[in-house]
Amino acid sequence: MEKTYFIETYGCQMNVADSELVAGLLQREGYRETKDIARAAAIFVNTCAIREHAEDKVHSRLGEFNRIKKRRPEVIIGVLGCMAQNLKDVLLENKPYVDIILGPDSYRQLPQILHRKTENKTHIVDTKLSRFEVYDDLFPSRREGINAWVSIMRGCDKFCTFCIVPFTRGRERSRSISSITTEVEQAVEDGFVEVTLLGQNVNSYHHEGKEFHDLLEEVAQIPGLRRIRFTSPHPQDVNRTLLETMAGHRNICNSIHFPLQAGSNKILKRMNRTYTREHFVALTDMIRELIPDVGISTDIIVGFPGESEADFQETLDVMNHVQFDSAFTFKYSPRPWTKAAQYSDQVPEEIKQERLERLINLQKKHTLSRNRRLIGKVEWVLVEKESKKSSRQWAGRTDSNKWVIFDKGSAKIKDLVPVRITAAHGVTLQGQQLKMEEAA
Ligand code: SAH
Ligand code: SF4
Ligand code: F3S
């Protein structure tokens, strides 16, 4: 049978980057990617465990893989990533069609496991977490494109009481600056014009005395790199030096993901977020002061155990003060092993739902008003793809991470062009491309 693989990815960008790493390993073994799951010799699903809903999606996909396995018993089915780690026993008992289960620190073993697997039929499981694995020397196989994901640190030691990540991904560890810059240089040589530096706590990066802002300085010097983004920073490790580094380099985007989670000090403390509402607000004020026209996005959880209406109101108050440009909003979902799952004062589902809707409505207003401020202004937009609505228009992002739709004209994909913003509808902007000399 021809050596082909199919890989499907759930969860955050770290998982996207890990799937590219796995693709690189498989290709070195002579495997070729196929988009046709019905023909693949090996099927992988890279999983996420962050909320129950994420796990449900993977379970339903595994049901589909089971049907494929019944028709083609020789196909190899592999579960990778964050669920592999926490569900290995359940998977082994209930899903005998799964051949391989590998946690996020075990991908190096994949080639050897595939060899063994073709010879015998036993299940192979490795979900041990490592204190050292950063896949320093392995180059990911990236699809051609605009943005290259580059993972710079792995794991998390913060132990927010709602979060499963410290259990699925293990302890925090960082790559060397030189291995990161080599990878970024390679990506630029391969035609990428933007990189996004990735880590569960990207700004907790430290390696041999170097901090995250030192890394940013070095990456910003790489010739040909138009844009640098990073995600996800933890507010605890955002400081003036980092913000000044961002402000001091044109190719470091003026956009920051700044996860609030909750606006009440009582809830923040119970979440073990290590900052107060006052500190968070002071930091956002400093971000807006030091980085002109910055775009700030956030993550917010509603219905954390013990959240009263008054606590929730405090979240809305912080939102009203900060006016986030966008927000990812979630209903609290209890996760195995986490402290908060054991709290007795869980919030009923209807209340979570009702708070979520109020929060989304408020955010919509803020997004619209932040976007409307740009009408009439000129933004530099990186042309990324064709608009979904019209083949005559491009879609690209501003530095501050907002999507803009505009007529194609003479611009090409990967061009960085000046666009005058003409309208704002919901999350997207409309614009008109200017000539370079008009932008000055
Ligand atoms: N390391 C990142 C978060 C990664 S998880 C950070 O600290 O910002 C992405 C988001 O999922 C979190 O910011 C949080 O808002 C949400 N999340 C995590 N665990 C959750 C849970 N148990 N229920 C609901 N949302 C959760
Ligand atoms: Fe989870 Fe908190 Fe770590 Fe983010 S910082 S990954 S929310 S434990
Ligand atoms: Fe999900 Fe794991 Fe990322 S739990 S959000 S894929 S780190």
Side-chain angles (χ1 to χ4, degrees):
M1 188 172 185
E2 202 194 350
K3 285 164 92 176
T4 50
Y5 70 92
F6 174 93
I7 187 163
E8 196 164 276
T9 307
Y10 293 87
C12 63
Q13 287 96 342
M14 296 285 294
N15 257 14
V16 175
D18 280 358
S19 288
E20 292 177 344
L21 198 91
V22 167
L25 280 162
L26 290 168
Q27 288 169 20
R28 237 159 290 148
E29 289 302 299
Y31 277 81
R32 196 172 51 75
E33 181 174 17
T34 172
K35 299 268 175 228
D36 184 1
I37 193 168
R39 285 161 184 261
I43 300 174
F44 295 99
V45 57
N46 195 357
T47 61
C48 172
I50 201 80
R51 285 168 290 275
E52 201 179 342
H53 182 63
E55 291 195 353
D56 292 344
K57 275 196 286 195
V58 169
H59 281 299
S60 86
R61 283 306 282 156
L62 284 172
E64 174 61 25
F65 297 174
N66 186 19
R67 285 188 282 281
I68 296 175
K69 182 102 172 179
K70 282 198 180 121
R71 289 196 297 274
R72 293 194 294 130
E74 71 286 1
V75 67
I76 293 175
I77 299 202
V79 173
L80 313 174
C82 294
M83 260 173 95
Q85 185 62 42
N86 82 9
L87 283 185
K88 60 174 191 288
D89 299 332
V90 183
L91 283 176
L92 283 179
E93 269 170 39
N94 299 338
K95 305 208 166 25
Y97 53 90
V98 174
D99 299 285
I100 299 171
I101 300 179
L102 290 182
D105 288 344
S106 305
Y107 300 145
R108 243 177 234 283
Q109 306 200 39
L110 196 52
Q112 175 217 337
I113 284 173
L114 284 169
H115 279 297
R116 261 166 61 202
K117 197 61 220 170
T118 40
E119 282 153 26
N120 66 50
K121 292 269 163 267
T122 54
H123 301 286
I124 298 171
V125 178
D126 189 337
T127 60
K128 280 190 294 299
L129 291 172
S130 156
R131 283 176 50 216
F132 308 105
E133 181 62 273
V134 286
Y135 301 111
D136 230 354
D137 52 326
L138 295 182
F139 275 89
S141 160
R142 300 197 167 88
R143 305 223 170 92
E144 225 182 282
I146 310 285
N147 173 73
W149 306 108
V150 176
S151 115
I152 65 158
M153 55 84 68
R154 301 178 71 87
C156 178
D157 291 349
K158 296 276 196 295
F159 288 92
C160 303
T161 57
F162 52 80
C163 184
I164 200 170
V165 170
F167 303 94
T168 61
R169 288 198 165 245
R171 299 293 56 79
E172 227 167 82
R173 62 223 108 108
S174 298
R175 287 171 69 178
S176 68
I177 289 196
S178 63
S179 86
I180 296 165
T181 49
T182 308
E183 186 175 328
V184 175
E185 280 158 3
Q186 182 63 52
V188 172
E189 205 163 293
D190 292 343
F192 291 89
V193 288
E194 176 181 283
V195 292
T196 305
L197 306 176
L198 295 177
Q200 277 309 337
N201 278 294
V202 76
N203 56 337
S204 310
Y205 175 92
H206 59 100
H207 190 268
E208 293 178 353
K210 301 283 187 187
E211 304 292 326
F212 184 58
H213 63 91
D214 299 313
L215 172 68
L216 274 182
E217 286 284 351
E218 300 249 352
V219 174
Q221 311 299 330
I222 293 174
L225 187 56
R226 310 294 286 274
R227 281 184 169 179
I228 301 161
R229 299 183 187 277
F230 57 87
T231 199
S232 226
H234 191 290
Q236 183 187 321
D237 301 318
V238 167
N239 51 38
R240 186 170 279 271
T241 318
L242 170 59
L243 299 174
E244 284 172 352
T245 308
M246 290 175 71
H249 294 274
R250 279 192 65 170
N251 57 358
I252 304 180
C253 289
N254 60 356
S255 134
I256 188 163
H257 187 63
F258 205 59
L260 169 65
Q261 311 300 0
S264 131
N265 282 338
K266 178 187 101 192
I267 298 297
L268 284 170
K269 192 155 199 273
R270 284 190 118 201
M271 286 177 161
N272 190 31
R273 283 298 285 184
T274 70
Y275 51 83
T276 59
R277 146 211 187 106
E278 291 75 20
H279 184 55
F280 184 92
V281 166
L283 281 170
T284 53
D285 291 345
M286 182 156 81
I287 294 171
R288 286 245 158 84
E289 173 204 324
L290 293 179
I291 309 176
D293 300 320
V294 65
I296 308 182
S297 59
T298 197
D299 290 347
I300 301 176
I301 298 176
V302 297
F304 184 81
E307 185 189 67
S308 66
E309 174 61 26
D311 293 320
F312 175 65
Q313 199 59 52
E314 291 196 59
T315 299
L316 301 181
D317 291 346
V318 176
M319 291 170 74
N320 279 321
H321 176 90
V322 176
Q323 305 261 325
F324 294 107
D325 292 82
S326 65
F328 299 92
T329 51
F330 311 103
K331 286 188 274 186
Y332 169 70
S333 166
R335 303 282 65 213
W337 305 308
T338 59
K339 229 175 171 175
Q342 276 130 49
Y343 292 162
S344 56
D345 42 4
Q346 301 288 328
V347 173
E349 173 62 26
E350 319 80 76
I351 296 188
K352 286 185 196 170
Q353 184 60 35
E354 183 252 348
R355 287 183 188 160
L356 183 70
E357 285 165 20
R358 281 157 70 196
L359 196 140
I360 290 173
N361 283 336
L362 181 63
Q363 183 54 47
K364 273 191 189 150
K365 286 190 197 139
H366 292 164
T367 300
L368 193 60
S369 89
R370 292 284 306 162
N371 286 352
R372 280 200 177 133
R373 290 173 67 250
L374 295 179
I375 295 175
K377 294 201 169 145
V378 179
E379 290 284 313
W380 286 88
V381 176
L382 182 63
V383 183
E384 300 196 26
K385 56 189 181 191
E386 198 163 82
S387 153
K388 279 189 206 125
K389 294 214 179 113
S390 159
S391 61
R392 291 179 17 231
Q393 292 191 306
W394 288 130
R397 274 180 301 165
T398 65
D399 226 79
S400 58
N401 210 15
K402 296 174 191 285
W403 284 97
V404 186
I405 310 291
F406 59 99
D407 285 347
K408 278 183 175 174
S410 57
K412 302 183 300 302
I413 288 201
K414 290 189 199 177
D415 283 352
L416 195 55
V417 295
V419 175
R420 187 176 302 283
I421 305 303
T422 53
H425 308 288
V427 292
T428 41
L429 302 165
Q430 302 280 327
Q432 235 163 25
Q433 191 192 333
L434 302 181
K435 296 200 179 76
M436 287 294 172
E437 54 276 17
E438 289 173 316

